Amino acid sequence: MSDVERTSRQIELADAGLRLVAGDGMRAVTFRAVASESGWSLGAVQRAFGTKEDLQAAMLERLRDSVGPYAVGEPGRPTLREWLVELVLAVAPLDDRRRAMQRQGHAFAELAPYDDRIGRVIAEDDARLRALLARLVRRAQGEGEIDAGVDPDGVAWATLAFMQGIASQLLYDLQPEADVRRWVDAVIRGLLQV
């Protein structure tokens, strides 16, 4: 989102902002609250970031940097179906860390329609993930794992939408992981027609 090299203080302050978002949403992020959360003075926060939008940009960069690989192992292996199930479960807010990250991600998604910078970043990340998923579907088709009639782009769009939807639902209606795994597997089987 920015070509600016962040100082260690800016990183620390952005991380403090993300902790506030995880606890109380974006509305909790004020310069004064970030100062209190980080232990820095209000003046230090104001010197580090000229505007709240600059702070939010740094927070989004930190959130994106903290997101590791979605699923372990080689993409699409051992089978595309199994890997996609693990991908969805890897981002599902089934523990405190993933719940915090999903709350943070949702806070930025709520800003995206009103902030072109944030919207572009999220759209670009989504496009990259959809492109990867479509490539994996094509590879699985070439290897005979799934039927050639399956639409790779449709599977990519539907998988991302499903991931985002299940993440949203689990934030307010947590379910046992075994049940979530069973439901996710059923949906992925349907998408891949396997």
Side-chain angles (χ1 to χ4, degrees):
M1 190 164 169
S2 171
D3 294 331
V4 175
E5 184 71 26
R6 298 288 178 195
T7 66
S8 60
R9 181 178 298 175
Q10 287 174 318
I11 291 169
E12 186 178 339
L13 295 171
D15 288 346
L18 286 172
R19 288 192 300 276
L20 291 168
V21 169
D24 293 312
M26 195 62 78
R27 70 182 179 278
V29 179
T30 64
F31 280 4
R32 190 171 306 283
V34 169
S36 177
E37 176 70 22
S38 68
W40 287 95
S41 69
L42 177 58
V45 177
Q46 292 169 328
R47 283 188 298 279
F49 298 104
T51 66
K52 185 174 180 181
E53 289 76 21
D54 293 340
L55 171 59
Q56 288 172 338
M59 290 166 53
L60 182 55
E61 290 167 15
R62 291 296 292 161
L63 178 60
R64 292 174 73 222
D65 289 346
S66 69
V67 175
Y70 288 115
V72 296
E74 181 184 348
R77 302 290 190 223
T79 67
L80 181 58
R81 179 189 60 80
E82 291 171 298
W83 187 82
L84 287 174
V85 168
E86 294 307 317
L87 172 68
V88 174
L89 290 172
V91 298
L94 296 169
D95 60 34
D96 289 341
R97 183 187 66 79
R98 289 181 286 173
R99 289 180 71 72
M101 290 182 79
Q102 284 296 334
R103 285 193 298 267
Q104 293 162 347
H106 279 267
F108 283 103
E110 287 177 10
L111 294 176
Y114 311 102
D115 186 322
D116 289 341
R117 294 182 308 165
I118 291 172
R120 273 193 309 277
V121 169
I122 294 173
E124 289 168 5
D125 286 348
D126 286 354
R128 274 193 291 282
L129 180 56
R130 284 192 309 269
L132 169 65
L133 296 175
R135 280 194 310 274
L136 293 175
V137 170
R138 288 183 190 94
R139 182 178 76 186
Q141 288 171 319
E143 294 173 352
E145 181 185 333
I146 60 175
D147 187 83
V150 172
D151 176 16
D153 294 321
V155 169
W157 274 93
T159 301
L160 180 58
F162 176 60
M163 286 173 59
Q164 293 169 339
I166 198 167
S168 291
Q169 288 182 28
L170 289 172
L171 281 176
Y172 58 80
D173 188 18
L174 189 59
Q175 298 293 316
E177 186 168 348
D179 290 344
V180 174
R181 178 176 291 279
R182 190 176 71 251
W183 300 328
V184 168
D185 186 58
V187 169
I188 296 300
R189 283 180 184 274
L191 286 174
L192 298 177
Q193 301 175 15
V194 293

